[in-house]
Amino acid sequence: YWDMVNDMGGVGGRQIEFVVRDNGYDVPTHLEHYEEFRDESSNGVIAISQSTGSPHTAATAEMAIEDNMAIIPLSWYSGWPDPAYGMNIFESTSTYCYESINGVDFLNEYVAEKTGKASPTMAIVTFPGEYGQDGAAGAWIAAEALGIEVVVDLEAAVAPGADNTGALSELVAAEADMVWTSVSPTVLAELMGGAAAQGYIPWWSGNVPSYSYLLLSTAVGPILDSNYIASSYLANWNDEGIPGLDRLKAEMLARTPDLPISDSYIQGWIEAQAVHQVLLRAAANGDLTRAGVIAAFNQITVNHEGLAPNQSWGGDNPNETVVRETFIYDIVLDDYSPGATIAEGGGTGSVLLRGPWASDVTLSQVY
């Protein structure tokens, strides 16, 4: 994205230098890199266009205010839109909580239609912390609003690298018709595979970090194909008729044709779109300082060209700007092209069912 911008002349007559550091999903490492970025010497940066992780980003939230540093989180924690918590954290798309409400509402309707059960039962299985328990909160809000019986509550009961057999046993014993997860792809595969081995194959869904299309190459691929509904904050690689996606694919085909196809590029692209449009406003304002960038974030509405709902952050009431819409996809194994490059073409195995949309329950929430 930034090579494209620089080839077009950059911003305000300046070229963009894009700096990448790997936090290894480790908070102390993340803080070390933030210390480098906050430096006001030549090592410093004007903004951070992706800060990976909820606890990692939270660890820098107060410093970001001191430093006039704008940060876009790779995290959908519900605290970010709250200016008292994340004043300089400019969230990208919706939240785990609202995504869960949308996802559970759709799943309930979908499973009722597929099974003929007027009132499917549900299990909730999540990680602890900002991610898993934020997702669980949304699932519970939806369940209570829609009258869904939660037959087993495994909020905060599983974790990556842990012995999750006890939680799996409870899940299988409860025999819910559908399962909402706020986990990781590895743990999702562990739960789905373990449940299927015991003869339990419910309908599955979950927050975005629960699923990866790469799981379609594993033993749980057929279960995902038959019994998983994927939630997303944005368009996927397979979608058609989206101007922003056509542009992304054209640029990547010209610049990086040998990279494998992936839905993940779209998240990086919309983050770059946001910072690019902010920098253009800051340049037009004649203030390309960090403070000027913060001001520009609060002045604009980002046009994501159909890749995601347009985004704004300004104003005194986050209830008016928080994004509530998400996307829902069916997983189709036959539409997955393992190992395919951008030049070769292919799909990541998802077919749009609905979106961007927001459940009436989500729309009724006061942030």
Side-chain angles (χ1 to χ4, degrees), residues 238-262:
N238 291 21
D239 292 353
E240 298 179 351
I242 298 175
L245 186 57
D246 293 341
R247 186 180 186 193
L248 180 158
K249 289 183 176 181
E251 290 292 336
M252 294 196 73
L253 179 62
R255 299 171 188 278
T256 54
D258 296 329
L259 284 179
I261 59 172
S262 173

Side-chain angles (χ1 to χ4, degrees), residues 6 20-21 41 67 93 96 99 104 124 155 177 182 196 208 249 264 277 317 324 334:
N6 287 335
V20 180
R21 297 288 183 269
S41 71
D67 301 331
T93 67
Y96 296 127
E99 178 202 1
V104 168
I124 298 172
E155 177 181 337
D177 297 307
S182 304
V208 165
K249 289 183 176 181
S264 300
Q277 292 173 45
N317 185 2
R324 301 171 191 266
D334 286 345

Side-chain angles (χ1 to χ4, degrees), residues 1-10 14-16 251 255:
Y1 188 97
W2 294 111
D3 287 345
M4 175 187 72
V5 171
N6 287 335
D7 287 349
M8 295 189 301
R14 302 187 187 194
Q15 296 284 285
I16 304 299
E251 290 292 336
R255 299 171 188 278

Side-chain angles (χ1 to χ4, degrees), residues 8-275:
M8 295 189 301
V11 174
R14 302 187 187 194
Q15 296 284 285
I16 304 299
E17 180 183 353
F18 190 53
V19 183
V20 180
R21 297 288 183 269
D22 183 359
N23 72 5
Y25 212 74
D26 174 68
V27 172
T29 303
H30 189 92
L31 289 170
E32 289 177 14
H33 295 320
Y34 182 81
E35 288 295 332
E36 175 191 358
F37 288 162
R38 77 191 300 201
D39 195 326
E40 294 185 359
S41 71
S42 58
N43 289 332
V45 300
I46 194 70
I48 297 175
S49 68
Q50 185 185 97
S51 174
T52 301
S54 298
H56 315 71
T57 304
T60 63
E62 291 186 7
M63 290 186 288
I65 297 171
E66 296 171 13
D67 301 331
N68 274 324
M69 182 75 80
I71 296 176
I72 295 180
L74 187 68
S75 156
W76 297 272
Y77 176 51
S78 290
W80 306 136
D82 180 359
Y85 184 83
M87 187 169 74
N88 284 9
I89 311 299
F90 295 95
E91 73 278 5
S92 178
T93 67
S94 193
T95 68
Y96 296 127
C97 181
Y98 288 167
E99 178 202 1
S100 291
I101 299 173
N102 291 344
V104 168
D105 193 336
F106 181 90
L107 189 65
N108 183 55
E109 172 190 323
Y110 189 85
V111 172
E113 180 182 331
K114 291 292 184 180
T115 63
K117 294 183 177 181
S119 302
T121 58
M122 183 169 71
I124 298 172
V125 188
T126 82
F127 286 170
E130 294 96 337
Y131 160 47
Q133 294 182 263
D134 197 11
W140 270 109
I141 289 170
E144 290 169 1
L146 299 168
I148 300 169
E149 181 186 2
V150 177
V151 292
V152 62
D153 179 9
L154 295 170
E155 177 181 337
V158 297
D163 180 358
N164 296 319
T165 53
L168 176 61
S169 294
E170 288 188 61
L171 179 65
V172 171
E175 296 186 327
D177 297 307
M178 53 191 184
V179 181
W180 182 263
T181 65
S182 304
V183 295
S184 66
T186 301
V187 172
L188 178 67
E190 176 187 342
L191 294 172
M192 292 182 77
Q198 298 180 55
Y200 174 53
I201 304 180
W203 287 91
W204 297 81
S205 189
N207 289 105
V208 165
S210 296
Y211 172 75
S212 167
Y213 68 93
L214 296 174
L215 289 177
L216 293 174
S217 292
T218 72
V220 297
I223 306 173
L224 291 163
D225 178 42
S226 64
N227 282 67
Y228 194 85
I229 298 297
S231 176
S232 179
Y233 302 114
L234 36 75
N236 282 357
W237 188 265
N238 291 21
D239 292 353
E240 298 179 351
I242 298 175
L245 186 57
D246 293 341
R247 186 180 186 193
L248 180 158
K249 289 183 176 181
E251 290 292 336
M252 294 196 73
L253 179 62
R255 299 171 188 278
T256 54
D258 296 329
L259 284 179
I261 59 172
S262 173
D263 296 325
S264 300
Y265 302 133
I266 300 166
Q267 179 64 39
W269 192 269
I270 68 165
E271 291 165 354
Q273 283 178 324
V275 175

Side-chain angles (χ1 to χ4, degrees), residues 303-345:
N303 178 5
H304 284 306
E305 299 183 284
L307 289 170
N310 291 344
Q311 182 101 39
S312 60
W313 304 273
D316 298 326
N317 185 2
N319 188 61
E320 297 176 356
T321 55
V322 65
V323 174
R324 301 171 191 266
E325 297 85 3
T326 57
F327 298 72
I328 304 292
Y329 288 88
D330 187 20
I331 300 305
V332 180
L333 191 56
D334 286 345
D335 290 346
Y336 173 54
S337 311
T341 66
I342 292 168
E344 292 168 342

